[in-house]
């Protein structure tokens, strides 16, 4: 198994999470060079994580001869240049979410890596949470039949860093920040070959004194008839609400990634000046997660990326996926303005997906609408007379 | 306290629930006459509940001299006539949900009772569940600040009776059956004086061989900026999913009325041929509710109705509320067809509601976007320079 | 249906709950006279609940000619006298929990009502919660096979009234206050005819500066082999923890009555000076219950009492049950002192219960220990050779 | 960071879990040699996990010159010999739980590694679950004050392999199999320096036709006054129930490791012949965990072991801990026979722990029993007069 030497671009929260994951738990891949816009932050980060070199020169960091992989953990408006430089350097490049500020940027990044023929991975961690991976396996094994609806929700009280609030740098508000996760979670559950056709979206700025949306809800209609629904908010109170719900013709899946995971704590504040981390409150009932980098998918994400790299296969999440996500978000922004369904405009590489199959059963010439088993074992049928259009009940042997 | 003698119209599931509630737990109000379309069902129902008289004559049941109150538990297309007759008879009339098949019908029923001057109550049980009543009290006390968003979800595998599936009799599909509950729950949380302006809705018929929708999602935009979101489905698997979520500027409320209420059972099927009631499965993990008529709001609903009647005040849920619900559902159906926001057309009797207040704080000439308390007690401010539009972090004393 | 006129003894929290239940929701039974030790409290209580008369004369209250039923809601040391007087007055008497401070007192109260031939009910509300009643029905229908173990837990940060803390008045500490509930819940689940044989108990006084126990854990061994386990505490932090778990040979039941019932609220304290009721905290995540008197069983308890009275049958919870509970608690206190199993000393009126049936299956002369179904449909047997005592695996057709 | 080459002893379920953990997620430590009692199983295991060599010669496997670490994943009765051989070979040795069949065996194993001076780790995975590690950090930071009570529960329907059922090979029944986990979880929460003084235990064989216990409940009394409580069962229905509850003077912690972790699935069995893994049922509501080896602690356990080895420090879980666990289980078995508290007999290497501090506050010469904040901000005090022993309420300014 190869050991990869990494150039890490960015020393913010995401750089911390990425490096904590890579350097944690006896992994074999290590950050060799870190780039930060300020020397002070780069130095502190390198010291904290035992990284041999740090620099404020982006190009030098990317071209550093000792590294084979570049991880882009920079603000959104800097992704394109970083990816372009990494592609030129002929290195593998892993880029954080969202890929671009819009589909145009994402498309150029996709073209850059494809033209250069370098390995490229889209760091969409929430599609790699252990729960999500297992749930996807169950869906693919047929456990819930055809997927009809996916709700993905990500809400919290608003970002921690200033640049997230500046739509010029990010490409938008809560949709670009949080919705990108939801969109790709939804695509995974409905099937990546299931073409997103159109989007209906409502946005508003209800609480924060900003111009971009702090709340949004959108519906994505897929070719099969399945609907994806995302809810994002920067005004949620109570922590970070990260939930997915999947409905299928034969089952249901509910995932809760953060606030209700079987870990519940009540504290009066404690005897020793205890201060809770990361919750909105320091006292009362708190709901921590066990191992955040694992629960949020970082561990499995990097394992997939490097294994794919070594095996010469594509990772689960590619730059093409990142581009599709941007295209869907673009349609959402258009819909929020127009107040109607807007088509998703993208170069589609998937195939076609048939419509979800409707029940087709008849009983003595009538259409069977529903079967219910009664306590005595008999069955109650609800039947429709195709001629008159009338409905009747009928109880038959079980 | 007065004791009311009731004419019950209808002997289906809803008539059962209503009578079980009224005759249960030593209540003082009793069904005196029951009407059923078939003599056999009426006779059995009367015997089961100790009701002195049953009849197949609707008008005679309503005009029966011994009763003062008429409860309409009939299929939707029969509501208008029953209400008209009860109003003519000068009796109090309580009508099950939805009030009409559409706003036009509901409007005529509202006019009939107002013209006759009789007491009229809208039997919207889910606005009376004990959890909902307490949650509404908390919201009205300011516990979660301004309400920004309400999600109300009601889904199950489809109705038990044939007539529910016939849109000609009901007025539609899952929206008319289930969405009427959600709409009124949403109105209660955002405030009944908060005018519903427009609706965005998506419907589809994914599973059942019917013409009306078996799945729908809608957004309702209110005057304050709050958004109501309802999700209804006749294709959900796993039981009956009945949940509400309310987001406010200062808090959050999550209600689960049915599948996760602190009652969890695993059964192999048992040693004695045990058969579970009402769940989709008879074995494995089951999630019963304690006391269904109480948890679904029937007990508190009838208490409010008769107390209001005795006190000469309006009940919490009036025919006007039923009419507003129909008007919102009409807009939803129009939107599902047009694919865009459709205005809610109704005679508005509420006042006006101001826009949700956005944060308005400045710090040294900068706009305060967010305050976070750091572990050391200091505060991190995210600030926006109104001149340049740029954002910066600033850490200040706590 | 008869309407009962009640003498209420006591105006503390329990008197409030009882009267709220009786006068709530259009019930037909009403408090006619209330007794309080102080005139001021009696007057206020009567005014609050619309009760015609109040008095500080216990005997007069009990003998009042207008009432037919006496409800004892007094501190424990006053139960015996009140019951004795009610029996002498020939009235129905309902006594709050625990029946006595010990089995001797309870026994004399039992004898008093039996000798007088009056109706007597033991007001053990937690055996009447809607969840408990439905769970008991499932157990009795065989849903979980033979009950092997019941855990009943009741803990909170300590009582609200001073007299609860005085063991001379109550008979003990957390066991007498809370354990009485647990013991009777356990008896209901293992079957009331299942004789409690012996008790093993540990108590300690860990936090509060009192002499009686503020924490206790006990095991009760029943004739069938089933074990009841109760955990009580006056030092729990986080609210009131009220949970029951039942294990059976064919299933499992988990009940949560208070802190996790599908009602979850986060509040920053709110915009309007909102103050939460009853929780340990006023901010952060709170877990209210919908309708406390219903969830705690008061509604169903009084319905059963008066219906039993009218029907001339015994209620679900009798004075004999209260006496058994006291006898078990007496054994617990003895065990806590001796550090070993102590027999339950009581006059047993139930019959005998057979031992839980052990699996008795053989396969080719071997004892079948366990069967597991493999993914391919075959069965894996774990077998014991009765001769050698050795164990082997064997995979066979399904 | 060093890369370790491992001899794996045993190819059963635990060997699978261990190797899956070590070889998963780009770890640097690898199994080099695997020992199995049968050539066929060894060959298959080696092929499955890419292990260069397999053997049926225990001593050769342990002495293999290419490995530096021996992992003992054998049935309990083979631990002692394997550990002795590994110590003789001068290799680091990691032994699965329980360390011995009893304290005598464990003691000899402890002496063997101490005499040889080799690194030795006790593979108690459940003390390393991410939730447990974070919860322990919170407890140590004072979040819940002094720990007063720990409940650790591990129950399932019985082991999968035949040898687990043979008490001659294991040392007992459900206590030795499951209780060893619970005991060490409890020790971690009350503090490893907190001496276990005595044990009270009840066992029974209720369902399976075996001689050893299939159910047990025990209390462990620690020097501080804290009580540990474990519940183990081989007759639980519904999956694997793995929960811990910790009570402290200032807070509460509830951990659910398996059945309720925010992952809920309903399946009718699915459209594609889906078969659920590991649950008791294949249909209905299922509760998978995301990543089993992570949730059960294996990942963090091996990281700690190898990091400790590299750093020359002791791991979190040592052979001494394993020995203490055996000593406590021995006392439990003695208590189950004697029916009374039995002392824990062991060589104690920890120090002494003071008694949990009781509240010591006075108000105007009275002992303060409890303080409650009233809605109006005032405080209600419950006070005890030290002279008379009587209790009174007093409301004072907040």
């Amino acid at each position: 198994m190869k050991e990869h030497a990494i150039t890490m671009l960015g020393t913010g929260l995401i750089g911390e999470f990425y490096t904590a994951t890579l350097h944690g738990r006896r992994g074999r891949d290590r950050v060799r060079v870190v780039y930060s816009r300020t020397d002070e932050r780069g130095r502190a980060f390198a010291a904290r994580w035992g990284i041999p070199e740090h620099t404020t020169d982006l190009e030098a960091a990317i071209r550093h001869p000792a590294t084979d992989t570049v991880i882009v953990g920079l603000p959104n408006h800097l992704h394109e240049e970083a990816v372009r430089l990494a592609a030129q350097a002929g290195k593998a490049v892993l880029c954080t979410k969202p890929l671009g500020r819009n589909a145009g940027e994402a498309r150029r990044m996709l073209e850059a890596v494809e033209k250069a023929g370098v390995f490229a991975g889209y760091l969409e961690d929430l599609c790699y949470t252990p729960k999500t991976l297992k749930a996807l396996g169950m869906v693919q094994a047929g456990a819930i039949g055809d997927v009809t609806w996916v709700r993905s929700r990500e809400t919290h009280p608003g970002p921690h860093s200033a640049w997230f609030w500046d739509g010029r740098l990010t490409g938008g508000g809560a949709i670009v920040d949080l919705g990108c996760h939801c969109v790709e979670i939804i695509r995974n559950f409905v099937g990546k070959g299931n073409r997103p056709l159109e989007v209906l979206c409502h946005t508003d700025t209800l609480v924060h004194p900003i111009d971009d949306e702090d709340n949004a809800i959108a519906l994505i209609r897929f070719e099969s008839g399945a609907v994806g629904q995302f809810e994002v908010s920067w005004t949620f109170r109570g922590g970070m609400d990260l939930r997915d719900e999947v409905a299928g013709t034969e089952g249901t899946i509910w995932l809760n990634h953060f606030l209700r995971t079987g870990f519940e704590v009540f504290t009066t504040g404690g005897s020793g000046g205890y201060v809770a981390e990361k919750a909105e409150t320091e006292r009362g009932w708190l709901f921590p997660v066990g191992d955040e980098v694992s629960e949020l998918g970082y561990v499995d994400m990097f394992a997939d990326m490097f294994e794919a790299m070594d095996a010469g296969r594509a990772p689960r999440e590619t730059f093409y996926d990142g581009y599709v996500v941007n295209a869907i978000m673009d349609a959402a922004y258009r819909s929020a303005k127009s107040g109607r369904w807007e088509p998703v405009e993208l170069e589609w590489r998937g195939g076609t997906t048939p419509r979800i199959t409707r029940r087709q059963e008849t009983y003595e010439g009538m259409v069977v609408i529903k079967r219910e088993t009664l306590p005595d074992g008999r069955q109650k049928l609800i039947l429709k007379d195709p001629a008159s259009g009338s409905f009747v009940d009928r109880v038959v042997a079980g």
Side-chain angles (χ1 to χ4, degrees), chain A:
Chain A
M1 198 187 288
K2 210 181 146 192
E3 300 180 12
H4 295 278
I6 299 157
T7 291
M8 178 69 64
L9 307 180
T11 54
L13 189 62
I14 198 68
E16 290 280 342
F17 269 126
Y18 287 172
T19 308
T21 305
L22 293 162
H23 286 204
R25 295 214 193 81
R26 306 186 61 72
R28 54 183 64 219
D29 313 303
R30 299 216 92 67
V31 178
R32 176 73 182 73
V33 185
V34 61
Y35 157 81
S36 178
R37 276 157 292 176
T38 73
D39 188 66
E40 184 191 353
R41 285 173 63 92
R43 182 183 314 276
F45 192 93
R48 195 155 56 247
W49 293 107
I51 299 168
E53 286 177 67
H54 63 95
T55 175
T56 59
D57 180 336
L58 180 69
E59 200 159 344
I62 290 172
R63 297 195 177 279
H64 193 290
T67 68
D68 62 277
T69 302
V70 175
I71 295 181
V72 183
L74 299 168
N76 304 358
H77 64 297
L78 304 174
H79 290 189
E80 186 177 355
E81 190 194 356
V83 165
R84 195 177 45 76
L85 289 170
Q88 283 173 4
K91 294 192 177 179
V93 57
L94 311 179
C95 183
T96 195
K97 63 89 212 171
L99 189 57
R101 283 176 289 186
N102 50 57
E105 270 190 14
R107 179 65 195 241
R108 289 193 299 272
M109 291 158 75
L110 175 61
E111 284 166 358
V113 297
E114 292 190 334
K115 198 172 147 197
V118 297
F119 180 95
Y122 177 48
L123 297 178
E124 175 39 85
D125 54 294
L126 291 182
C127 294
Y128 284 99
T129 81
K131 284 172 186 163
T132 305
L133 291 177
K134 186 168 280 186
L136 287 171
M138 296 177 83
V139 169
Q140 284 151 14
I144 64 167
D146 289 334
V147 171
T148 56
W149 171 78
V150 185
R151 178 210 194 196
S152 183
R153 174 174 172 83
E154 179 158 358
T155 66
H156 59 49
H160 297 289
S161 293
W163 70 265
F164 275 95
W165 297 87
D166 189 340
R168 299 169 304 185
L169 308 184
T170 63
I175 291 179
V176 155
D177 179 26
L178 306 174
C180 61
H181 289 302
C182 302
V183 167
E184 189 60 358
I185 290 167
I186 289 166
R187 284 189 67 231
N188 270 277
F189 279 111
V190 300
K192 285 198 183 174
N194 200 346
R195 184 168 187 162
L197 300 180
E198 52 182 9
V199 179
L200 195 59
C201 181
H202 171 64
T203 64
D204 206 342
T205 311
L206 290 170
V207 172
H208 299 294
I210 55 174
D211 297 326
D212 293 293
E213 76 281 1
D214 58 15
N215 279 277
I217 305 167
L219 302 181
I220 306 163
R221 198 168 65 78
F222 290 88
E223 193 182 12
S224 72
V227 170
Q229 167 182 323
F230 72 74
E231 301 159 19
V232 294
S233 176
W234 281 349
T235 70
F236 178 75
R237 306 309 301 258
M240 180 158 78
D241 184 22
L242 221 60
R243 280 179 291 159
D244 303 314
E245 303 181 18
V246 188
T249 52
E250 301 290 336
T252 297
I253 294 176
W254 292 337
L255 305 180
N256 196 325
H257 299 286
F258 227 75
L259 281 174
R260 297 294 183 275
T261 63
F263 194 158
E264 310 179 66
V265 177
F266 179 86
T267 173
T268 63
S271 52
Y274 176 76
V275 174
E277 29 154 357
K278 267 211 145 186
E280 271 215 277
T281 46
E282 296 177 6
R283 290 155 198 277
W285 282 102
L286 309 176
F287 298 88
V289 290
D291 177 0
E292 206 165 313
V293 295
S294 173
E295 293 292 316
L296 292 181
Y298 294 109
V299 174
D300 286 292
M301 177 177 73
F302 281 117
D304 176 52
M305 290 293 163
F306 288 109
E307 282 162 17
M309 219 182 279
D310 294 354
R313 64 165 172 85
R316 292 179 69 97
E317 294 296 325
T318 65
F319 269 33
Y320 177 73
D321 292 316
Y323 158 67
V324 175
V325 169
N326 270 124
I328 291 172
M329 294 195 297
D330 284 1
Y333 280 116
R334 274 187 279 118
S335 172
K337 278 206 185 103
S338 74
R340 57 182 309 133
W341 288 98
E342 291 287 345
V344 179
E345 294 168 356
L346 86 166
E347 178 212 350
W348 180 243
R349 296 181 179 180
T352 60
T353 303
R355 172 90 182 169
I356 295 165
T357 316
R358 280 165 76 179
R359 175 191 286 273
Q360 296 284 4
E361 191 192 354
T362 56
Y363 180 87
E364 297 184 356
M366 311 274 272
V367 180
V368 178
I369 303 294
K370 198 177 174 217
R371 280 183 178 273
E372 290 179 24
T373 303
L374 299 177
D376 60 8
R378 291 182 304 165
Q379 291 217 315
K380 177 176 166 184
L381 304 186
I382 294 180
L383 302 169
K384 181 181 179 180
D385 181 340
S388 69
S390 295
F391 294 74
V392 292
D393 297 337
R394 187 82 59 84
V395 175
V396 302

